[in-house]
Amino acid sequence: MGLFSGKSRDDSPAGRDGHLRQVEEENRILRNRLDETQELVRHLDEDRDLLLGALERLRPGLPPRELGEALMDVCFKPLGLACFFVALADWDQDQLTFVLYHEGGRTRQHPSRRLSDRVGLSERVLSSRRPLYIRTLEEGQSAGSLLTAAELATGLIPHSWYGVPLGWGDRPAGLVSFQSFQTDAFSDSRRRVMDALAALMSNCLGQCP
C-alpha cells in the first residue's frame, strides 16, 4: 500500500452526509452571529440618532415644559414608551409639580403633591438621588407606585418604569420618567441612553454636576 493511499476524509455516503450537516450547522451559527451583529449596529445607530436629536432640540434657557416636550418628541416612539413625564421639585415650597405628563396618547394635567408625603416612585428617586428601575407591574405595586385616574379607568398600566433625577446634589431639580407597557422593557444600554438624555436636560435647566 502506498504512503498516500489513505484518505483523510470519509467519502462514503454516510461520511458526506455528516460533513454536510457539520457545514450547515457552521453556516447557521455564522448567520446567527451576523444577525446579532446587525441588530447591535441597528441599536447603536438608534441610540446615536436619539442623542443627536436631543442635542439639536434641547436648548439652555427654554422653559421646563418646552424642554420636556422636545425630549418627548425625540424619544417617545424610538424607545417604545407608553407614558412620559417631567416633574420639578420645589424643596422650599414642599411641592412636586408635573410640568409635562403624557399618557394614553395625549398630554394630561397631573396634580401636584407634597414632597414631604414621600408617596410614589417619584419621591423615591428624589430622596435617593439616583435612578430607579421598576421591571414589572408587581414590583411597582410593592414599591409604592401610584395609579393615575386614566390608569384606573382603563386598566392600561405600564409595567416598566424608569425614573432619573434631574440635577445633582442633595436636592435634585426634579425627575424624568420613561414608562412602557412591556415587562422589563429597558436594557442596561437603553437605560444609559436615558441617563444621558436626563443629564442633557439637567444641563439645559442650569443644573451642573
Side-chain angles (χ1 to χ4, degrees), residues 1 5 21 23 26 32 35 58 84 86 91 111-112 126 133 144 154 163 178 186 197 201:
M1 181 179 292
S5 62
R21 286 193 297 270
V23 171
E26 291 173 352
N32 288 341
D35 290 342
L58 273 67
F84 173 90
V86 175
W91 296 92
S112 301
L126 294 172
Y133 183 37
T154 64
F178 309 86
F186 308 132
L197 294 172
M201 185 169 182

PDB file of all heavy atoms in Angstrom, residues 1 5 21 23 26 32 35 58 84 86 91 111-112 126 133 144 154 163 178 186 197 201:
ATOM      1  N   MET A   1       0.867  -1.197   0.000  1.00  0.00           N
ATOM      2  CA  MET A   1       0.000   0.000   0.000  1.00  0.00           C
ATOM      3  C   MET A   1       0.889   1.228   0.000  1.00  0.00           C
ATOM      4  O   MET A   1       1.828   1.329   0.783  1.00  0.00           O
ATOM      5  CB  MET A   1      -0.901  -0.005   1.226  1.00  0.00           C
ATOM      6  CG  MET A   1      -1.848   1.184   1.281  1.00  0.00           C
ATOM      7  SD  MET A   1      -2.907   1.113   2.747  1.00  0.00           S
ATOM      8  CE  MET A   1      -3.899  -0.307   2.342  1.00  0.00           C
ATOM      9  N   SER A   5      -1.925   6.471   0.050  1.00  0.00           N
ATOM     10  CA  SER A   5      -3.139   5.829  -0.435  1.00  0.00           C
ATOM     11  C   SER A   5      -4.312   5.989   0.509  1.00  0.00           C
ATOM     12  O   SER A   5      -5.448   5.854   0.104  1.00  0.00           O
ATOM     13  CB  SER A   5      -2.877   4.336  -0.665  1.00  0.00           C
ATOM     14  OG  SER A   5      -2.530   3.706   0.568  1.00  0.00           O
ATOM     15  N   ARG A  21     -23.900  18.057   7.202  1.00  0.00           N
ATOM     16  CA  ARG A  21     -24.595  18.549   8.403  1.00  0.00           C
ATOM     17  C   ARG A  21     -23.695  19.479   9.214  1.00  0.00           C
ATOM     18  O   ARG A  21     -24.153  20.483   9.755  1.00  0.00           O
ATOM     19  CB  ARG A  21     -25.057  17.366   9.251  1.00  0.00           C
ATOM     20  CG  ARG A  21     -26.254  16.621   8.682  1.00  0.00           C
ATOM     21  CD  ARG A  21     -26.871  15.679   9.699  1.00  0.00           C
ATOM     22  NE  ARG A  21     -25.932  14.630  10.097  1.00  0.00           N
ATOM     23  CZ  ARG A  21     -25.833  13.460   9.471  1.00  0.00           C
ATOM     24  NH1 ARG A  21     -26.595  13.184   8.418  1.00  0.00           N
ATOM     25  NH2 ARG A  21     -24.962  12.547   9.888  1.00  0.00           N
ATOM     26  N   VAL A  23     -21.253  21.392   8.029  1.00  0.00           N
ATOM     27  CA  VAL A  23     -21.159  22.669   7.311  1.00  0.00           C
ATOM     28  C   VAL A  23     -22.433  23.493   7.505  1.00  0.00           C
ATOM     29  O   VAL A  23     -22.386  24.711   7.723  1.00  0.00           O
ATOM     30  CB  VAL A  23     -20.887  22.430   5.813  1.00  0.00           C
ATOM     31  CG1 VAL A  23     -21.004  23.732   5.022  1.00  0.00           C
ATOM     32  CG2 VAL A  23     -19.508  21.807   5.621  1.00  0.00           C
ATOM     33  N   GLU A  26     -22.402  25.021  10.942  1.00  0.00           N
ATOM     34  CA  GLU A  26     -21.466  26.150  10.999  1.00  0.00           C
ATOM     35  C   GLU A  26     -22.058  27.381  10.316  1.00  0.00           C
ATOM     36  O   GLU A  26     -21.913  28.513  10.797  1.00  0.00           O
ATOM     37  CB  GLU A  26     -20.141  25.750  10.354  1.00  0.00           C
ATOM     38  CG  GLU A  26     -19.353  24.717  11.151  1.00  0.00           C
ATOM     39  CD  GLU A  26     -18.121  24.211  10.410  1.00  0.00           C
ATOM     40  OE1 GLU A  26     -17.981  24.573   9.215  1.00  0.00           O
ATOM     41  OE2 GLU A  26     -17.330  23.481  11.021  1.00  0.00           O
ATOM     42  N   ASN A  32     -26.467  33.413  12.598  1.00  0.00           N
ATOM     43  CA  ASN A  32     -26.954  33.955  13.873  1.00  0.00           C
ATOM     44  C   ASN A  32     -26.043  35.055  14.375  1.00  0.00           C
ATOM     45  O   ASN A  32     -26.515  36.084  14.886  1.00  0.00           O
ATOM     46  CB  ASN A  32     -27.064  32.839  14.910  1.00  0.00           C
ATOM     47  CG  ASN A  32     -28.212  31.892  14.641  1.00  0.00           C
ATOM     48  OD1 ASN A  32     -29.135  32.226  13.898  1.00  0.00           O
ATOM     49  ND2 ASN A  32     -28.171  30.708  15.235  1.00  0.00           N
ATOM     50  N   ASP A  35     -26.668  38.131  12.303  1.00  0.00           N
ATOM     51  CA  ASP A  35     -27.925  38.767  12.701  1.00  0.00           C
ATOM     52  C   ASP A  35     -27.746  39.539  14.009  1.00  0.00           C
ATOM     53  O   ASP A  35     -28.257  40.658  14.154  1.00  0.00           O
ATOM     54  CB  ASP A  35     -29.029  37.717  12.869  1.00  0.00           C
ATOM     55  CG  ASP A  35     -29.466  37.112  11.541  1.00  0.00           C
ATOM     56  OD1 ASP A  35     -29.181  37.729  10.500  1.00  0.00           O
ATOM     57  OD2 ASP A  35     -30.085  36.033  11.561  1.00  0.00           O
ATOM     58  N   LEU A  58     -32.900  70.260  22.432  1.00  0.00           N
ATOM     59  CA  LEU A  58     -32.891  70.801  23.795  1.00  0.00           C
ATOM     60  C   LEU A  58     -31.879  71.948  23.887  1.00  0.00           C
ATOM     61  O   LEU A  58     -30.686  71.765  23.599  1.00  0.00           O
ATOM     62  CB  LEU A  58     -32.530  69.715  24.817  1.00  0.00           C
ATOM     63  CG  LEU A  58     -33.708  68.878  25.347  1.00  0.00           C
ATOM     64  CD1 LEU A  58     -34.285  68.007  24.218  1.00  0.00           C
ATOM     65  CD2 LEU A  58     -33.272  67.989  26.501  1.00  0.00           C
ATOM     66  N   PHE A  84     -44.747  59.209  29.639  1.00  0.00           N
ATOM     67  CA  PHE A  84     -43.536  60.008  29.844  1.00  0.00           C
ATOM     68  C   PHE A  84     -43.930  61.230  30.651  1.00  0.00           C
ATOM     69  O   PHE A  84     -44.954  61.846  30.396  1.00  0.00           O
ATOM     70  CB  PHE A  84     -42.977  60.438  28.478  1.00  0.00           C
ATOM     71  CG  PHE A  84     -41.833  61.406  28.539  1.00  0.00           C
ATOM     72  CD1 PHE A  84     -40.526  60.956  28.598  1.00  0.00           C
ATOM     73  CD2 PHE A  84     -42.065  62.773  28.537  1.00  0.00           C
ATOM     74  CE1 PHE A  84     -39.470  61.849  28.649  1.00  0.00           C
ATOM     75  CE2 PHE A  84     -41.022  63.680  28.588  1.00  0.00           C
ATOM     76  CZ  PHE A  84     -39.709  63.214  28.639  1.00  0.00           C
ATOM     77  N   VAL A  86     -42.251  64.759  33.068  1.00  0.00           N
ATOM     78  CA  VAL A  86     -41.209  65.574  33.691  1.00  0.00           C
ATOM     79  C   VAL A  86     -41.834  66.265  34.894  1.00  0.00           C
ATOM     80  O   VAL A  86     -42.895  66.893  34.776  1.00  0.00           O
ATOM     81  CB  VAL A  86     -40.642  66.626  32.718  1.00  0.00           C
ATOM     82  CG1 VAL A  86     -39.639  67.533  33.435  1.00  0.00           C
ATOM     83  CG2 VAL A  86     -39.993  65.949  31.518  1.00  0.00           C
ATOM     84  N   TRP A  91     -38.241  72.380  46.714  1.00  0.00           N
ATOM     85  CA  TRP A  91     -37.973  71.881  48.056  1.00  0.00           C
ATOM     86  C   TRP A  91     -38.394  72.874  49.126  1.00  0.00           C
ATOM     87  O   TRP A  91     -38.850  72.482  50.208  1.00  0.00           O
ATOM     88  CB  TRP A  91     -36.492  71.531  48.187  1.00  0.00           C
ATOM     89  CG  TRP A  91     -36.075  70.417  47.280  1.00  0.00           C
ATOM     90  CD1 TRP A  91     -35.574  70.527  46.013  1.00  0.00           C
ATOM     91  CD2 TRP A  91     -36.151  69.018  47.554  1.00  0.00           C
ATOM     92  NE1 TRP A  91     -35.332  69.290  45.467  1.00  0.00           N
ATOM     93  CE2 TRP A  91     -35.667  68.334  46.400  1.00  0.00           C
ATOM     94  CE3 TRP A  91     -36.570  68.273  48.658  1.00  0.00           C
ATOM     95  CZ2 TRP A  91     -35.590  66.954  46.332  1.00  0.00           C
ATOM     96  CZ3 TRP A  91     -36.483  66.886  48.580  1.00  0.00           C
ATOM     97  CH2 TRP A  91     -36.013  66.237  47.435  1.00  0.00           C
ATOM     98  N   PRO A 111     -51.977  66.262  38.978  1.00  0.00           N
ATOM     99  CA  PRO A 111     -51.944  67.123  40.166  1.00  0.00           C
ATOM    100  C   PRO A 111     -50.586  67.124  40.870  1.00  0.00           C
ATOM    101  O   PRO A 111     -49.885  66.100  40.915  1.00  0.00           O
ATOM    102  CB  PRO A 111     -53.022  66.517  41.069  1.00  0.00           C
ATOM    103  CG  PRO A 111     -53.131  65.088  40.628  1.00  0.00           C
ATOM    104  CD  PRO A 111     -52.879  65.102  39.155  1.00  0.00           C
ATOM    105  N   SER A 112     -50.244  68.277  41.407  1.00  0.00           N
ATOM    106  CA  SER A 112     -49.036  68.377  42.218  1.00  0.00           C
ATOM    107  C   SER A 112     -49.270  67.686  43.563  1.00  0.00           C
ATOM    108  O   SER A 112     -50.404  67.417  43.955  1.00  0.00           O
ATOM    109  CB  SER A 112     -48.671  69.848  42.449  1.00  0.00           C
ATOM    110  OG  SER A 112     -48.462  70.509  41.219  1.00  0.00           O
ATOM    111  N   LEU A 126     -36.175  61.030  44.029  1.00  0.00           N
ATOM    112  CA  LEU A 126     -35.650  62.292  44.534  1.00  0.00           C
ATOM    113  C   LEU A 126     -34.940  62.123  45.871  1.00  0.00           C
ATOM    114  O   LEU A 126     -33.898  62.739  46.113  1.00  0.00           O
ATOM    115  CB  LEU A 126     -36.790  63.308  44.668  1.00  0.00           C
ATOM    116  CG  LEU A 126     -37.436  63.736  43.346  1.00  0.00           C
ATOM    117  CD1 LEU A 126     -38.679  64.578  43.609  1.00  0.00           C
ATOM    118  CD2 LEU A 126     -36.441  64.505  42.486  1.00  0.00           C
ATOM    119  N   TYR A 133     -35.302  51.762  38.661  1.00  0.00           N
ATOM    120  CA  TYR A 133     -35.867  50.957  37.580  1.00  0.00           C
ATOM    121  C   TYR A 133     -36.823  49.929  38.159  1.00  0.00           C
ATOM    122  O   TYR A 133     -36.445  49.099  38.987  1.00  0.00           O
ATOM    123  CB  TYR A 133     -34.756  50.259  36.791  1.00  0.00           C
ATOM    124  CG  TYR A 133     -35.244  49.462  35.607  1.00  0.00           C
ATOM    125  CD1 TYR A 133     -36.306  49.915  34.818  1.00  0.00           C
ATOM    126  CD2 TYR A 133     -34.628  48.263  35.249  1.00  0.00           C
ATOM    127  CE1 TYR A 133     -36.746  49.196  33.722  1.00  0.00           C
ATOM    128  CE2 TYR A 133     -35.062  47.529  34.148  1.00  0.00           C
ATOM    129  CZ  TYR A 133     -36.121  48.004  33.386  1.00  0.00           C
ATOM    130  OH  TYR A 133     -36.565  47.282  32.298  1.00  0.00           O
ATOM    131  N   GLY A 144     -44.646  51.010  45.811  1.00  0.00           N
ATOM    132  CA  GLY A 144     -45.467  52.174  46.129  1.00  0.00           C
ATOM    133  C   GLY A 144     -45.912  52.985  44.942  1.00  0.00           C
ATOM    134  O   GLY A 144     -46.199  54.181  45.069  1.00  0.00           O
ATOM    135  N   THR A 154     -58.906  52.800  32.672  1.00  0.00           N
ATOM    136  CA  THR A 154     -58.701  51.940  31.505  1.00  0.00           C
ATOM    137  C   THR A 154     -58.082  50.582  31.847  1.00  0.00           C
ATOM    138  O   THR A 154     -58.212  49.635  31.072  1.00  0.00           O
ATOM    139  CB  THR A 154     -57.778  52.635  30.488  1.00  0.00           C
ATOM    140  OG1 THR A 154     -56.477  52.820  31.078  1.00  0.00           O
ATOM    141  CG2 THR A 154     -58.349  53.992  30.081  1.00  0.00           C
ATOM    142  N   GLY A 163     -37.173  56.057  36.353  1.00  0.00           N
ATOM    143  CA  GLY A 163     -37.122  57.458  36.742  1.00  0.00           C
ATOM    144  C   GLY A 163     -35.684  57.893  36.984  1.00  0.00           C
ATOM    145  O   GLY A 163     -34.916  57.188  37.644  1.00  0.00           O
ATOM    146  N   PHE A 178     -39.583  57.469  32.220  1.00  0.00           N
ATOM    147  CA  PHE A 178     -39.844  56.747  30.978  1.00  0.00           C
ATOM    148  C   PHE A 178     -40.599  55.468  31.349  1.00  0.00           C
ATOM    149  O   PHE A 178     -40.149  54.718  32.220  1.00  0.00           O
ATOM    150  CB  PHE A 178     -38.537  56.372  30.280  1.00  0.00           C
ATOM    151  CG  PHE A 178     -37.572  57.512  30.084  1.00  0.00           C
ATOM    152  CD1 PHE A 178     -36.678  57.858  31.090  1.00  0.00           C
ATOM    153  CD2 PHE A 178     -37.546  58.222  28.898  1.00  0.00           C
ATOM    154  CE1 PHE A 178     -35.766  58.891  30.914  1.00  0.00           C
ATOM    155  CE2 PHE A 178     -36.647  59.263  28.713  1.00  0.00           C
ATOM    156  CZ  PHE A 178     -35.748  59.596  29.725  1.00  0.00           C
ATOM    157  N   PHE A 186     -36.539  47.965  29.372  1.00  0.00           N
ATOM    158  CA  PHE A 186     -35.374  48.813  29.147  1.00  0.00           C
ATOM    159  C   PHE A 186     -34.088  48.081  29.535  1.00  0.00           C
ATOM    160  O   PHE A 186     -33.855  47.809  30.712  1.00  0.00           O
ATOM    161  CB  PHE A 186     -35.503  50.118  29.934  1.00  0.00           C
ATOM    162  CG  PHE A 186     -36.802  50.843  29.689  1.00  0.00           C
ATOM    163  CD1 PHE A 186     -37.555  51.324  30.753  1.00  0.00           C
ATOM    164  CD2 PHE A 186     -37.273  51.045  28.404  1.00  0.00           C
ATOM    165  CE1 PHE A 186     -38.745  51.989  30.544  1.00  0.00           C
ATOM    166  CE2 PHE A 186     -38.474  51.703  28.176  1.00  0.00           C
ATOM    167  CZ  PHE A 186     -39.212  52.181  29.249  1.00  0.00           C
ATOM    168  N   LEU A 197     -29.861  61.357  28.305  1.00  0.00           N
ATOM    169  CA  LEU A 197     -30.908  62.312  27.937  1.00  0.00           C
ATOM    170  C   LEU A 197     -31.301  63.170  29.135  1.00  0.00           C
ATOM    171  O   LEU A 197     -31.492  64.392  29.020  1.00  0.00           O
ATOM    172  CB  LEU A 197     -32.127  61.572  27.389  1.00  0.00           C
ATOM    173  CG  LEU A 197     -31.930  60.826  26.064  1.00  0.00           C
ATOM    174  CD1 LEU A 197     -33.157  59.986  25.743  1.00  0.00           C
ATOM    175  CD2 LEU A 197     -31.635  61.799  24.934  1.00  0.00           C
ATOM    176  N   MET A 201     -30.903  67.273  29.711  1.00  0.00           N
ATOM    177  CA  MET A 201     -31.984  68.145  30.158  1.00  0.00           C
ATOM    178  C   MET A 201     -31.589  68.876  31.437  1.00  0.00           C
ATOM    179  O   MET A 201     -31.923  70.059  31.618  1.00  0.00           O
ATOM    180  CB  MET A 201     -33.259  67.349  30.372  1.00  0.00           C
ATOM    181  CG  MET A 201     -34.454  68.219  30.713  1.00  0.00           C
ATOM    182  SD  MET A 201     -36.012  67.329  30.649  1.00  0.00           S
ATOM    183  CE  MET A 201     -37.147  68.670  31.048  1.00  0.00           C
TER     184      MET A 201
END
